[in-house]
Amino acid sequence: MELINSETWIGLDIDIKGEIYEGVLQKNAEDVKGGAGQYFTPRALIPAIVEVMQPQLGQRICDPACGTGGFFLVAYNFIKNNYKLDKDQRHFLNNKTFKGADVADGVVRLCAMNLYLHGIAGDDSPVEAKDSLMTDSGDRFELILTNPPFGKKSSITVFNESGKADKEKISYRRDDFWTTTSNKQLNFLQHVKTLLQINGKAAVVVPDNVLFEGGAGEIIRKKLLHECDVHTLLRLPTGIFYAQGVKANVLFFDRKPASATPWTKKLWIYDFRTNQHFTLKTNTLRSENLQDFIQSFNPNNRHERQENERFRVFSYEELIQRDKVSLDIFWLKDDSLEDSDNLPAPDVLALEIAEDLGAALELFQGISENLEIKLENNAVTESL
């Protein structure tokens, strides 16, 4: 508040206002204990995602877990810099292009101010405070860019047609979901599929458990590979998120019309994790670190891609035959496992150990939650 109050905002250009506020948000995110780090996607990652997705003028763009609005700002600048806009087009870009939501009221206020200071939406904020998973609004979008919140725990459980009891008293029913699960990321993946219009495109940040978890995870991956063209997976390095214990990926897919045969023919995986070591302070992720991924993705014609050391292609037949249809695939040799002289710095090693332990704890918590729900469901069934 002191940083904001000390500026003479009236005399500043709108781009400068926006940059100052974005800088304040990032500074706040760095305060791990009290800041907004859990809502803050690494700023070097967002431009890379937007560049390969190439948002177009006239598209409606959604982020159902918008945080402080990072995806909106970069997509806005991408469109503004790549198109000559007349008055009507500028009005559409500023007022009708973006739609977002976040479950945290305070973060929605931060996002609304961030967009306003960048000249987006004016008096009518395109973001609202709500639980995106609660219901299908019926709205559909050409492009979805999102980084749903990490952590598997949720105070609610999604219900599909089968209708199961929840240990919490809060529940909602989603007939459009493929299966019922208490895993938030799996629910967001199903929600994103619903929000996409036919031939709409999505880029979703997901933790590793979404790639390999059994049960509902396996069902959702099978359905996603069948009903969508799941064409690219970017495996992200550790040490780039403010939230601890995170191993994440970006999943790129297009929604397609109903079909008897699977839409996914090939999944290209870019391994940007193996032998890559970043930290939030001393060795931060920078935009240039992602240039090889952007070139490999080949956004102008992704059907003319070439394999390289970090970029491999896997057929639908290979994927569907894997145990639990796991997409957790890697092939590069981890040098730190082979050569003790190649070990990363002690602080990086300690961070990676902490992240592994955090991820394991999340997994065990999810298993515990599922067991509790099953036991309570059995108890309810027996009482009836």
Side-chain angles (χ1 to χ4, degrees):
M1 293 301 294
E2 289 175 359
L3 286 169
I4 295 172
N5 194 45
S6 64
E7 292 291 343
T8 307
W9 291 83
I10 293 176
L12 294 176
D13 180 85
I14 192 162
D15 290 336
I16 297 175
K17 292 179 185 178
E19 287 301 315
I20 291 174
Y21 192 75
E22 180 77 357
V24 171
L25 289 179
Q26 181 156 354
K27 186 68 176 174
N28 182 46
E30 292 169 2
D31 176 7
V32 177
K33 290 185 178 179
Q38 60 181 311
Y39 308 104
F40 210 77
T41 306
R43 279 339 191 216
L45 176 61
I46 294 176
I49 293 175
V50 170
E51 187 166 345
V52 298
M53 295 300 284
Q54 298 196 329
Q56 299 174 22
L57 181 65
Q59 285 184 331
R60 296 192 66 225
I61 302 172
C62 176
D63 184 347
C66 62
T68 55
F71 278 115
F72 291 155
L73 297 182
V74 178
Y76 174 79
N77 286 327
F78 183 92
I79 294 172
K80 197 168 66 168
N81 294 334
N82 283 277
Y83 291 90
K84 273 193 168 183
L85 306 176
D86 60 30
K87 182 179 179 181
D88 291 339
Q89 290 170 332
R90 186 173 295 279
H91 180 268
F92 185 91
L93 175 62
N94 289 345
N95 297 280
K96 297 183 179 181
T97 297
F98 303 104
K99 186 72 174 178
D102 201 284
V103 72
D105 293 359
V107 173
V108 169
R109 287 193 289 272
L110 292 176
C111 181
M113 178 61 79
N114 203 12
L115 299 181
Y116 179 78
L117 289 174
H118 282 84
I120 302 174
D123 295 332
D124 298 320
S125 175
V127 297
E128 55 184 325
K130 71 173 185 178
D131 182 353
S132 294
L133 297 176
M134 186 64 71
T135 185
D136 171 18
S137 66
D139 215 355
R140 299 293 180 262
F141 301 89
E142 288 96 338
L143 183 60
I144 295 179
L145 309 168
T146 189
N147 175 18
F150 296 133
K152 292 173 60 178
K153 296 177 68 176
S154 180
S155 60
I156 49 182
T157 297
V158 177
F159 280 69
N160 63 5
E161 298 97 326
S162 59
K164 294 181 181 178
D166 180 20
K167 65 176 182 177
E168 303 286 351
K169 297 302 179 184
I170 307 171
S171 63
Y172 48 76
R173 189 174 299 274
R174 291 289 297 266
D175 293 339
D176 56 305
F177 279 13
W178 291 312
T179 188
T180 296
T181 175
S182 59
N183 183 310
K184 285 190 297 185
Q185 288 83 33
L186 290 174
N187 286 329
F188 263 105
L189 202 54
Q190 296 183 91
H191 183 57
V192 167
K193 181 273 304 180
T194 292
L195 289 175
L196 282 174
Q197 68 176 38
I198 300 301
N199 295 318
K201 302 178 179 182
V204 186
V205 180
V206 297
D208 276 11
N209 69 76
V210 168
L211 303 183
F212 61 75
E213 187 169 298
E218 181 179 355
I219 293 170
I220 290 168
R221 287 190 295 276
K222 283 182 178 177
K223 289 285 190 179
L224 196 68
L225 291 171
H226 192 282
E227 297 185 19
C228 300
D229 180 6
V230 186
H231 53 81
T232 313
L233 175 67
L234 168 63
R235 295 182 66 89
L236 295 172
T238 59
I240 66 171
F241 289 91
Y242 290 99
Q244 292 288 321
V246 171
K247 287 190 173 180
N249 315 265
V250 187
L251 195 60
F252 300 85
F253 61 92
D254 303 346
R255 186 176 181 181
K256 294 296 184 179
S259 170
T261 57
W263 277 103
T264 300
K265 308 302 181 186
K266 297 177 181 179
L267 172 64
W268 289 79
I269 300 178
Y270 189 96
D271 184 354
F272 187 46
R273 181 180 303 172
T274 305
N275 300 322
Q276 296 288 329
H277 303 287
F278 295 95
T279 64
L280 294 176
K281 298 288 186 181
T282 58
N283 185 30
T284 58
L285 178 69
R286 300 183 304 276
S287 295
E288 52 263 33
N289 299 129
L290 287 156
Q291 287 307 304
D292 185 67
F293 162 70
I294 294 171
Q295 292 173 9
S296 298
F297 189 105
N298 194 4
N300 292 320
N301 189 352
R302 63 179 178 83
H303 299 291
E304 292 187 358
R305 293 171 168 176
Q306 299 292 325
E307 285 189 317
N308 58 47
E309 182 186 20
R310 291 194 175 272
F311 202 38
R312 294 284 177 88
V313 62
F314 300 86
S315 69
Y316 172 82
E317 290 72 24
E318 290 176 283
L319 300 174
I320 206 70
Q321 289 172 11
R322 290 176 56 83
D323 183 41
K324 300 177 184 175
V325 196
S326 171
L327 304 182
D328 187 31
I329 302 172
F330 47 90
W331 58 92
L332 292 174
K333 182 181 76 173
D334 191 334
D335 293 340
S336 64
L337 298 178
E338 300 291 332
D339 184 358
S340 59
D341 294 332
N342 245 352
L343 286 173
D347 60 330
V348 175
L349 195 59
L351 180 62
E352 290 184 354
I353 292 171
E355 288 175 337
D356 285 339
L357 291 173
L361 181 59
E362 287 285 353
L363 187 59
F364 282 121
Q365 286 173 336
I367 293 171
S368 175
E369 277 188 357
N370 290 335
L371 287 174
E372 287 179 21
I373 292 171
K374 287 179 181 178
L375 287 173
E376 293 195 9
N377 284 335
N378 289 338
V380 171
T381 303
E382 289 175 3
S383 66
L384 295 175

